[in-house]
Amino acid sequence: HRNLNGAGQFFSSGHTNNWAVLVCTSRFWFNYRHVANTLSVYRSVKRLGIPDSHIVLMLADDMACNHRNPKPATVFSHKNMELNVYGDDVEVDYRGYEVTVENFLRVLTGRLPPSTPRSKRLLSDDRSNILIYLTGHGGNGFLKFQDSEEISNVELADAFEQMWQKRRYNELLFIIDTCQGASMYERFYSPNLMALASSQVGEDSLSHQPDLAIGVHLMDRYTFYLLEFLEDIHPASKTNMNDLFKVCPKSQCVSTPGHRTDLFLRDPGSVLITDFFGSVRKIEITMETINLTDPIKQMEEK
Amino acid sequence: MWIGFSLLMPDCFSLSFLKDLHWCGVCMSVAPPHPHTNTDSFQEELVVRPLHSGDIYASFQFRTVWEADFSRGNKVSHYQLFPKSLGQVISKFSVRELHISFTQGYWRTMQWGQPFLPSPPGAELWVWFQDSVTDVDGTWKELTNVLSGIFCASLNFIDSTNTVQPSAAFKPLGVGNVTDHRFLRYATLPREIVCTENLTPWKKLLPCGSKAGLAVLLKSEKLFHSSFHSQAVHIRPICQDQRCKSTSLELRQTLNAVFDLHTSGQAKREWSLFKMFSRTLTEACPLASSSKIYIDITDNSQGEQFELSPASSLLSQAVVLGDRRTFSVYDLTDQATFGSTRSLNLLIRDMLRPLLHAERYVAGYGLQTGEIHTVMYNHHPYRSFPVLLLDSVPWYLRLYIHTLTVTSKGKENKPSYIHYQPSKDRLRPHLLEMLVQLPPNSATEVTVEFERALLKWTEYTPDPNHGFYVGSSVISSLVPSTVATNTSITQEQPLFSSFFPCKEELSYFVRVYTEPLLVNLPTPDFSMPYNVICLTCTVVAVGYGSLYNLLTRSFQIEEPSPGLAKRIANVIRRMRGVPPL
């Protein structure tokens, strides 16, 4: 009979695949840092194993090939231009005007027109762990999309409830880096959601540092320290969520990051970072023998 | 696929390099041939041409020819060199020809000459469907969605408001006698941005990817730091041989780039592959039957203008764009050509002046009306030739066709063929096709007035003050040439001169794209709803509130409160039990 002592450790989280939905909602050149935020999370997530087919990347504007960019086809995260987070192998699924509230909600709930290609769909099932990262300009209870429309925290909470009812996720980690970000997760009511935000209600999230050659701020503080934290993670690391909650304390971030774990069933201390940011394959070794049945005989034609 | 081959048959791999035989040929003699394999072949080519202004023009072409026939609904399931994603698209949507290009920048014809493969700024897609398709519009919409996923581009914005069916300007470039333009669809997205995310899937369609062969040079950081950059995919059926009893499917992936002398920090005109692409070549793609580099040395016949190192003894002449040019050829499948980096030191003197050139601009003032002017120049000293002008204008610029004028040299020039399809608001754009005869050595101006429409407020883009784009005009023509063109469909021609099929010897086909136009529409102030709500609520509150108070307020008489001395006196009186004052 199967020896389950070692196997039990594999399935303590219960997920079999990982997805990521990374959204940058700001347009215009001075919002370069939001694109850099999203691309740095994209880079970390790809490095830790989630393939492009399981990542839905939405960038509301093009910074890399923007005519104002002195170094085309690059997006930097640090002022010494050390890290090009754009890279050479990037696939953006929704870009420019396609990043709208409607498309974002359709991706989450899966209600897309039938001719939508696979790369633009979130094909998750009830054993998927999903990472959702949003960045842009926001306020108390809303997030602005492209300076022309907004998504409210109620809409977002309802979308997650739809996902839960349709069994589209096993566990969901929601990270938001905007001003007053904590207001966006106040209204969640579906189970198995964990949320992190870069600032509390009434506080602004600040950007990190400008670069004099490019002329804009390159990254936001919270995501900058988040990227630093993630650069130390590798696919086999055992760091858990409690370390993620400690990223960017008030001394570095100026705003107070917040988190919400009351809807999450497991203890955050037992949740690995790679459960959401990486794509760790679970392999079950079995000693059972399976007898294949005899092939079915072809029916005689009449 | 080819990596798998090398693991199975390592002898095959090393043999091909030692004996200088090409990959496919050697392996097929070793492995037992599959009875139903569709044979395909792959060629790659790079043409480097120094330009008059000191810039340098690099044109890559990757061509896969596949002996598969999709026309009768055949199912194909075995893909070798031809990419599976495109093969499935062709068979599912019954596509006969597909041409898609992504371009950043505008081709400056007068400074750079004619490109080998023209393309307009932004994205352009035109498709000829098979005549077995019953619902062409529905298939077109699905095809654009699927292509947007394959190329990571916003092609799903192509819909009936920017699709047209040109009747004459876009004839099929492959074989076949279908001329019913109901099966043709053409659309452009002039606003489409081209960046690494479009190059990545394009490179993945190549048999060797970006790991071997000429595609190794395609690194985005250098490629996008250029004045002009265009990548395209062209699929069309071609004849297998001279008798043309059966057709093969040809896939050409092309990439054109023009590197600017000044932005790349060059003090003197010295170019090398390393300076252009920050990479050098180390091997040809093992799956390619031919892998060549052509350097245009026409202006250096005696070796006095520039020096090419390492020098190549192979020379080839080709007639391209009406001009006979000499090329120095480097064959990458020959091991002997590999060494250290190549350095090209160049000085350019002369260049054949392009005979056909066009410009377009918007005239007028204000946000209500305007004029579109298209100017076409014929620089031939004594020959006139006809050009076909295709204009597709979005519905929100309402063209007044009765004001259409065509003038050459001050006199009116009546077009011999006009096909005009008026627009329908929010359904389809204007389509104007005209056949105009350009007199020799002249400029012909086509003007048409338009009126700007007011859009509904949800139809504006998030950044409406940027303006709205109007796609490039397309001018197609058979230009007379002084040099005879090769009209045979043999396979030995270099790829860059064999793209456009040529039926006559004394003329060559040219397609010129004008600039896209950027037009401002009357844009409302989007903060007005908030202002209106505040103002209305204030007015209602003040007006209604005052009226309500006036009607329902009643007055009561109240005793004034006594002064301090009186209040103390009242307190003492209350204590004594005496009534107050």
Side-chain angles (χ1 to χ4, degrees), chain B residues 287-441:
Chain B
L287 298 166
S289 60
S290 105
S291 178
K292 294 198 165 80
I293 299 185
Y294 294 84
I295 316 280
D296 190 335
I297 57 165
T298 319
D299 305 308
N300 192 35
S301 45
Q302 258 77 51
E304 74 276 1
Q305 313 265 13
F306 56 79
E307 185 196 313
L308 200 60
S309 92
S312 165
S313 54
L314 286 167
L315 287 181
S316 142
Q317 286 213 335
V319 177
V320 59
L321 297 168
D323 192 16
R324 181 176 296 281
R325 301 201 69 90
T326 316
F327 295 88
S328 190
V329 186
Y330 294 84
D331 191 349
L332 296 181
T333 51
D334 182 4
Q335 268 293 72
T337 51
F338 283 101
S340 51
T341 44
R342 284 139 224 241
S343 253
L344 307 177
N345 301 321
L346 305 168
L347 264 174
I348 314 310
R349 291 288 169 80
D350 227 310
M351 181 188 72
L352 180 73
R353 195 154 182 236
L355 294 175
L356 178 63
H357 164 234
E359 289 174 345
R360 193 160 74 138
Y361 56 91
V362 172
Y365 59 90
L367 285 175
Q368 192 169 355
T369 55
E371 280 180 20
I372 298 182
H373 291 242
T374 310
V375 188
M376 297 179 283
Y377 298 92
N378 176 359
H379 292 296
H380 202 286
Y382 53 85
R383 292 279 301 272
S384 71
F385 51 86
V387 298
L388 190 68
L389 170 67
L390 168 76
D391 246 321
S392 165
V393 178
W395 63 268
Y396 41 81
L397 297 187
R398 302 209 165 98
L399 296 182
Y400 291 128
I401 288 293
H402 71 280
T403 59
L404 176 70
T405 55
V406 184
T407 46
S408 308
K409 293 181 174 173
K411 287 186 297 188
E412 200 200 326
N413 181 352
K414 208 161 169 338
S416 50
Y417 168 76
I418 300 185
H419 172 229
Y420 174 62
Q421 192 182 51
S423 69
K424 269 192 186 166
D425 273 7
R426 297 176 183 88
L427 273 184
R428 57 163 201 241
H430 297 271
L431 171 66
L432 178 62
E433 277 181 291
M434 292 194 298
L435 188 65
V436 183
Q437 188 82 6
L438 300 185
N441 213 14

Side-chain angles (χ1 to χ4, degrees), chain A residues 252-264:
Chain A
Q252 283 172 329
C253 252
V254 183
S255 56
T256 320
H259 58 265
R260 181 176 175 179
T261 52
D262 57 312
L263 294 165
F264 205 75

Side-chain angles (χ1 to χ4, degrees), chain B residues 10 140 164 196 223 260 343 528:
Chain B
W140 169 249
V164 289
T196 311
L223 212 50
D260 199 315
S343 253
M528 276 316 285

Side-chain angles (χ1 to χ4, degrees), chain A residues 27-28 62 64-65 67 70 72-74 84 86-92 95 97-98 115 117 119-120 146 148, chain B residues 104 145 148-149 152-154 156-157 191-198 200 204 219-221 224-225 461-463:
Chain A
R27 171 165 279 279
F28 304 124
D62 170 59
C65 288
H67 298 296
T74 58
N84 173 16
Y86 195 57
D88 216 14
D89 185 19
V90 57
E91 288 185 16
V92 181
R95 58 185 201 154
Y97 297 129
E98 289 176 287
S115 53
S119 57
K120 286 184 163 174
Q146 297 216 39
S148 69
Chain B
Q104 176 116 8
N145 275 320
S148 83
C152 285
S154 321
N156 46 319
F157 283 128
R191 185 82 198 262
E192 193 65 17
I193 303 154
V194 184
C195 209
T196 311
E197 65 250 23
N198 305 111
T200 310
K204 287 184 180 160
K219 290 296 164 194
S220 56
E221 284 191 19
F224 289 101
H225 202 62
T461 55
D463 52 351

